[in-house]
């Protein structure tokens, strides 16, 4: 895992990878800025209308939690919005940047790996959307636990680790592994892959560095996954291990 991160650091400073560094996060920021400008007023009006609905208002007052309506605005601004920006940047990296990154790294550093092609572009989109949906649902469900100090740090890291792992492992292997090889790598290296996702989540918390973290995380998964695929095929006579045409 740590060798994959070292290799990712080296790859990050190659010319073609430098060209990909900022645009996933910048694209995500622009998207959510536009959406906020267009829909913030309507969203706040809907929230106020919901809170003023008599049964809801009575419930909030009865339980002494009418303050929660105002708190929801702060939650959206300081917790949920950054989460959405980061998750969207990972989605953009997965769908648009990872194919370029995999092609470049495989050609320059793993040229002996033949293509198994168990995945596809639409498979990547479906995998990323599914992972993103599960991530957001778990994020909302776990929100009350954020009031407990240890969980306030551990839960977002664990969830971001899950998202990184679920998204990038598919993209890293989709072009070169067969379906059987993909499942075998997950069986053998599920824990290190999740650990790599957690390390990527921690990197995403570092100011300035988090600007490049989606692409850097993807590179880490590519090096780990293709390296393990090469080792797996070396164990098997007749495996798909040959110069690529």
């Amino acid at each position: 895992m740590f060798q994959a991160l070292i290799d990712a650091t080296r790859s990050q400073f190659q010319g073609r990878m430098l060209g990909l560094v900022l645009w996933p996060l910048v694209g995500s920021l622009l998207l959510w800025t536009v959406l906020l400008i267009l829909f913030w007023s309507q969203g706040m009006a809907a929230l106020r209308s919901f809170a003023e609905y008599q049964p809801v208002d009575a419930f909030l007052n009865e339980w002494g939690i009418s303050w929660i309506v105002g708190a929801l605005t702060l939650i959206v601004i300081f917790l949920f919005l950054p989460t959405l920006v980061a998750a969207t940047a990972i989605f953009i990296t997965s769908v648009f940047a990872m194919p370029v990154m995999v092609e470049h790294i495989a050609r320059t550093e793993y040229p002996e790996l033949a293509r198994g092609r168990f995945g596809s572009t639409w498979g990547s989109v479906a995998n990323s959307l599914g992972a993103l949906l599960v991530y957001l649902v778990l994020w909302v469900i776990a929100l009350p636990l954020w009031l407990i100090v240890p969980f306030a740090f551990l839960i977002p890291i664990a969830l971001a680790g899950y998202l990184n792992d679920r998204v990038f492992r598919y993209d890293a292997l989709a072009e070169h592994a067969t379906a059987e090889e993909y499942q075998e790598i997950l069986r053998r290296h599920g824990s290190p892959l999740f650990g790599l996702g957690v390390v990527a989540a921690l990197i995403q918390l570092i100011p300035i560095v988090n600007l490049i973290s989606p692409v850097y995380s993807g590179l880490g998964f590519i090096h780990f996954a293709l390296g393990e695929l090469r080792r797996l095929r070396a164990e098997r006579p007749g495996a798909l291990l040959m110069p690529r045409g």
Side-chain angles (χ1 to χ4, degrees):
M1 183 176 73
F2 292 106
Q3 183 60 51
L5 292 172
I6 293 171
D7 292 339
T9 302
R10 173 172 44 79
S11 297
Q12 182 71 80
F13 293 98
Q14 295 174 1
R16 196 168 187 186
M17 298 301 98
L18 286 173
L20 297 173
V21 164
L22 292 179
W23 66 265
L25 188 58
V26 171
S28 179
L29 284 169
L30 287 175
L31 172 64
W32 286 105
T33 299
V34 171
L35 290 176
L36 280 177
I37 292 172
L38 293 177
F39 299 111
W40 179 261
S41 297
Q42 295 92 321
M44 290 299 98
L47 181 61
R48 284 193 296 269
S49 297
F50 176 75
E52 292 168 358
Y53 181 55
Q54 201 280 326
V56 175
D57 182 60
F59 173 82
L60 294 176
N61 287 322
E62 180 181 352
W63 288 90
I65 55 173
S66 57
W67 53 267
I68 201 169
V69 176
L72 283 174
T73 303
L74 296 178
I75 290 172
V76 168
I77 293 174
F78 294 107
L79 290 179
F80 201 47
L81 186 57
T83 298
L84 287 174
V85 169
T88 304
I90 291 172
F91 177 80
I92 292 173
T93 303
S94 167
V95 176
F96 298 103
M98 282 293 281
V100 177
M101 293 156 60
V102 169
E103 175 64 26
H104 175 75
I105 299 301
R107 184 180 69 252
T108 57
E109 304 199 36
Y110 304 90
E112 75 278 17
L113 289 179
R115 297 174 186 261
R117 290 191 174 93
F118 88 92
S120 65
T121 299
W122 288 113
S124 175
V125 172
N127 176 70
S128 297
L129 287 176
L132 187 58
L133 178 61
V134 172
Y135 168 75
L136 293 176
V137 169
L138 291 176
W139 194 95
V140 172
I141 291 174
L143 193 57
L145 295 176
W146 288 40
L147 299 175
I148 305 173
V149 174
F151 291 120
F153 177 77
L154 295 176
I155 287 175
I157 296 300
L159 291 179
Y162 160 81
L163 182 63
N164 289 325
D165 174 26
R166 173 77 182 276
V167 169
F168 288 134
R169 73 189 189 193
Y170 180 97
D171 297 322
L173 289 167
E175 182 66 18
H176 292 84
T178 64
E180 179 189 6
E181 289 169 335
Y182 178 68
Q183 292 302 323
E184 180 65 15
I185 288 175
L186 294 189
R187 186 185 68 79
R188 293 188 182 189
H189 305 291
S191 295
L193 284 166
F194 177 73
L196 189 58
V198 169
V199 172
L202 292 171
I203 293 172
Q204 290 160 8
L205 297 177
I206 303 174
I208 307 301
V209 176
N210 58 10
L211 295 175
I212 69 170
S213 62
V215 170
Y216 177 73
S217 301
L219 288 170
F221 273 88
I222 292 169
H223 277 288
F224 184 92
L226 294 186
E228 293 305 326
L229 180 60
R230 179 165 58 188
R231 278 185 279 274
L232 176 63
R233 289 182 179 174
E235 298 173 4
R236 300 180 172 182
L240 290 173
L241 190 66
M242 62 189 73
R244 302 188 320 147

